[in-house]
Amino acid sequence: MPNRHLTDTVLVQKCFLVREDGKILTVKGSLSDEIWPGAWEFPGGGYEYGEDTSDSLRREVMEETNLTLNSFYPVYMTNVTDPDSWLAQADTTLVICYASRDWTGDFKLSAEHIDFLWESPQELLKHDFAGDAGFFHASLHSYLKLRGDSSQVIQ
Amino acid sequence: MQLVDNSDTESNPVGRFMVAVGAVVTNPEGKILLIKRSSKLDWQPGLWEIVYGRLAQHEDPQLGLVRELQEELGITVKVGSVLRIWHIYRGHEQTAENELIGITFAATTNQAEITLSDEHESCRWVTPEEALELLEVDGIKEDIDAYRNLQGQAL
């Protein structure tokens, strides 16, 4: 039996907050961020030891948007093991993207971000997601496919 | 993307959790494969379940799942959407050593012949409704529910 106790494993969770009109929230990182300043991204963040994975996503979304996630579902996951990728800050980095139409509250931009937009998946693809572009594009593709909108998917 | 700041590992420890992968495996008729744990096992003897297994260090989740299903059931599957992310502690102590993050996927197979290991005594292909009647463990029922939501596009 190989050692199945992974070391240096990180879990990052992100979420598409979808409005009634189908538009999705994207936020722009601070220009003082060390990695890719000013890149667009989606709310979410890193899992901390001992948290429930769902509570962890709710906490990050609340911190970054002031919105309460009620229910959500995963749309895409991948793992990054390439040691040359900056995402691979640990031995194994599991990255998961969720989507939610079921959230409440009044949106407020956090100090971590300098701008925000509500946009359609097609509009979102135009933005600079820097090194996360592959992950976010795959997540948008998967989101549209799950909704049965594969005709809208832009390759 | 704002990732975990690992420079301060005391307040924001790098994960050292185990990662498990599982699958709701369906056949071309849409029936779900359930397997029954051996009545000789110490943990949950005689209960119905689906296949779960732990990843090895650096193992890709989807490839790890394919390996587990080959080892446990002798079947080759095509891995589909991610259904659910979950968090448990193995055993009774809620310690870092016992922490486990799980990822359940949907998967399909054309193979009808199942080769069971010593850990399981029987298997059945059932409808999602029948699965929910046979299953007793809440987490496994949630996996079946996530699969049903995906089929119903109740997203």
Side-chain angles (χ1 to χ4, degrees), chain B residues 64-123:
Chain B
L65 180 61
V66 168
R67 174 187 58 73
E68 284 287 345
L69 286 157
Q70 192 69 56
E71 286 175 9
E72 292 284 323
L73 304 173
I75 57 170
T76 304
V77 298
K78 188 177 169 214
V79 180
S81 301
V82 52
L83 294 176
R84 197 169 73 90
I85 312 296
W86 38 281
H87 171 253
I88 59 164
Y89 290 93
R90 294 185 91 229
H92 302 292
E93 279 187 77
Q94 298 202 355
T95 61
E97 290 70 35
N98 290 339
E99 188 177 30
L100 185 145
I101 301 277
I103 309 165
T104 306
F105 293 90
T108 54
T109 186
N110 293 318
Q111 284 173 257
E113 197 172 319
I114 308 298
T115 310
L116 294 173
S117 72
D118 291 347
E119 286 187 20
H120 295 100
E121 55 185 42
S122 60
C123 66

Side-chain angles (χ1 to χ4, degrees), chain A residues 3 7 15 26 42-43 45 55 57 69 77 84 87 100 107 110 120 124 132 134-136 142 148:
Chain A
N3 179 10
T7 57
C15 192
T26 180
F42 296 92
D55 291 345
L57 182 67
L69 272 186
M77 77 87 46
D84 294 329
L87 253 174
S100 173
F107 172 73
S110 80
S120 69
L124 285 171
D132 294 328
F135 170 66
F136 285 136
S142 184

